Amino acid sequence: MGPRELSAGRLYGIDVARGLAVLGMMAAHVGANTDFDFARPATWLSVTDGRSSILFATVAGISIALMSGRRTPLEGDELVRARLRILIRAAVIFALGGLLIMLATRVGIILEFYAVMFALSLPFLRLRAGRLFELAAVFAVLAPLVNLLLVDALSSAPRISSIVQLVVTGQYPVLIWLAFLFTGLGIGRLDLTSQAVRTRLVVVGGMLAVAGYGLGTLLGRVLRRLDGAEAVFTTEPHSGSVFEVIGSGGFAMAVIGLCLLAADRARSLLFPLEATGAMALTVYSLHIVAIALIGDEAFEQTDYGLYLGFLVVTLVAATLWRLTLGAGPFERLLASVARRATAPDPRVAAPTAGGAPAP
């Protein structure tokens, strides 16, 4: 790929997974409004609803892990700089999310929630994979129940603050979605170059998906007459139930494992997806702008014609941009702001031998 070839240490499968997540969110936004039915192939693309944004959040956790030391968490000054860079990225993403909300589309913009999760990850960057998975499990089981109680308690509130909306009552409640962030952080602390680790992600993720969706569906049918059973045992997208969190989190884990396995074997074939994922912030933002230009008609599709147009344009444009210009424009801006804000003061003497130079 010429002089713009990425470093050999880059995990291309993570870009592929992120690309799938962004394209899946597009399908949920402008695809046909149908419920998933395994017996009707025409509805299969609706599997992206809810699961794509969860995959996006889980990959965000992996990205944070990669920025903060991969398998070995950073320490000392390096950790301080990494935290500052992540916090600055969160601030820029939050601001961009606010601008996209001002376009007044009917899309639930994920970027502000995403930014808050970035900021909340900072105290946990020194944790190893095992502890992070334990945190993910605790949040997956307890946070949906706590969130349900909080939503019920807030239902009579005359006005809900923006912070409460982000953390509790919004479409992507951070209190629940921290389970996906911690899952991603834990995955990012593993040796993702290992075929065995990748395979385990697929197997364990698949088991969690079956357990979450299967148990939720079964208990929902058996206990459907109990008060509140529908809210507790549902597996519907964006429901935020324990079973949806476990099922969709497992689904995301399995997809990530599959993408890591596939990317090394068929990188040329998957490069358009990789390119899309490598500039996901740009692609996500521009597709919201495109929806705003189209108007409400974008949400009234009876087939996938409009989505196919979005898909083709995105894959072609991302591929050409990646091959010729490298990083996407918003990614370049994000990296530049974070790098400038954390650059060492040139007036300060360079560290002596054994010190850690600024990245």
Side-chain angles (χ1 to χ4, degrees):
M1 295 182 191
R4 296 187 183 273
E5 175 67 58
L6 299 176
S7 66
R10 191 174 182 97
L11 294 164
Y12 303 114
I14 300 303
D15 288 328
V16 172
R18 193 185 296 109
L20 282 175
V22 174
L23 295 176
M25 286 190 286
M26 279 189 197
H29 297 158
V30 301
N33 186 18
T34 57
D35 294 326
F36 177 79
D37 184 349
F38 189 78
R40 297 169 55 208
T43 69
W44 286 0
L45 200 56
S46 63
V47 76
T48 59
D49 190 17
R51 297 173 184 86
S52 297
S53 50
I54 287 171
L55 175 59
F56 195 57
T58 306
V59 173
I62 297 175
S63 298
I64 293 171
L66 299 181
M67 286 188 284
S68 59
R70 295 200 175 199
R71 295 180 64 189
T72 304
L74 298 176
E75 298 283 350
D77 290 345
E78 289 186 333
L79 178 61
V80 171
R81 284 194 291 271
R83 282 175 168 160
L84 183 56
R85 281 194 295 270
I86 292 168
L87 185 60
I88 291 168
R89 285 171 179 264
V92 174
I93 290 171
F94 191 92
L96 179 58
L99 292 175
L100 294 178
I101 288 173
M102 291 173 63
L103 295 177
T105 67
R106 285 155 53 183
V107 174
I109 304 299
I110 196 175
L111 294 186
E112 289 189 330
F113 300 88
Y114 192 76
V116 171
M117 287 192 292
F118 260 59
L120 291 178
S121 74
L122 299 182
F124 305 97
L125 297 186
R126 296 178 65 182
L127 297 183
R128 301 279 180 165
R131 291 294 185 189
L132 289 164
F133 286 133
E134 289 172 2
L135 272 174
V138 169
F139 271 84
V141 173
L142 296 183
L145 301 177
V146 173
N147 196 80
L148 193 61
L149 294 174
L150 290 174
V151 169
D152 185 60
L154 292 168
S155 60
S156 58
R159 185 175 180 275
I160 297 176
S161 70
S162 298
I163 294 298
V164 172
Q165 289 178 356
L166 284 169
V167 176
V168 179
T169 62
Q171 186 171 353
Y172 312 101
V174 170
L175 178 61
I176 295 174
W177 282 56
L178 282 172
F180 308 127
L181 182 81
F182 290 136
T183 299
L185 267 170
I187 292 172
R189 293 284 183 243
L190 301 175
D191 180 9
L192 295 181
T193 64
S194 165
Q195 297 298 303
V197 169
R198 296 172 175 186
T199 302
R200 281 200 293 272
L201 289 176
V202 176
V203 173
V204 174
M207 292 172 63
L208 288 172
V210 171
Y213 294 135
L215 193 57
T217 300
L218 177 62
L219 291 177
R221 290 175 179 174
V222 172
L223 304 175
R224 63 182 180 275
R225 295 184 180 180
L226 294 179
D227 290 341
E230 183 178 351
V232 173
F233 299 111
T234 181
T235 58
E236 289 297 309
H238 298 296
S239 63
S241 75
V242 173
F243 301 98
E244 191 231 349
V245 170
I246 294 173
S248 296
F251 178 85
M253 183 183 293
V255 169
I256 290 165
L258 287 171
C259 289
L260 286 165
L261 288 170
D264 287 347
R265 292 169 171 79
R267 189 184 173 204
S268 296
L269 182 64
L270 295 175
F271 185 76
L273 276 175
E274 177 192 320
T276 300
M279 50 191 298
L281 184 62
T282 296
V283 170
Y284 178 89
S285 301
L286 292 182
H287 108 274
I288 298 297
V289 173
I291 288 173
L293 293 174
I294 295 170
D296 287 345
E297 183 182 343
F299 305 97
E300 299 166 0
Q301 303 300 303
T302 57
D303 57 32
Y304 288 101
L306 179 61
Y307 173 64
L308 289 176
F310 272 66
L311 180 67
V312 171
V313 170
T314 297
L315 291 174
V316 171
T319 298
L320 292 176
W321 186 286
R322 191 72 176 155
L323 289 173
T324 57
L325 298 172
F330 288 3
E331 287 72 20
R332 199 184 298 269
L333 172 65
L334 196 63
S336 176
V337 171
R339 185 171 56 250
R340 287 174 180 272
T342 57
D345 189 334
R347 294 170 297 181
V348 177
T352 57

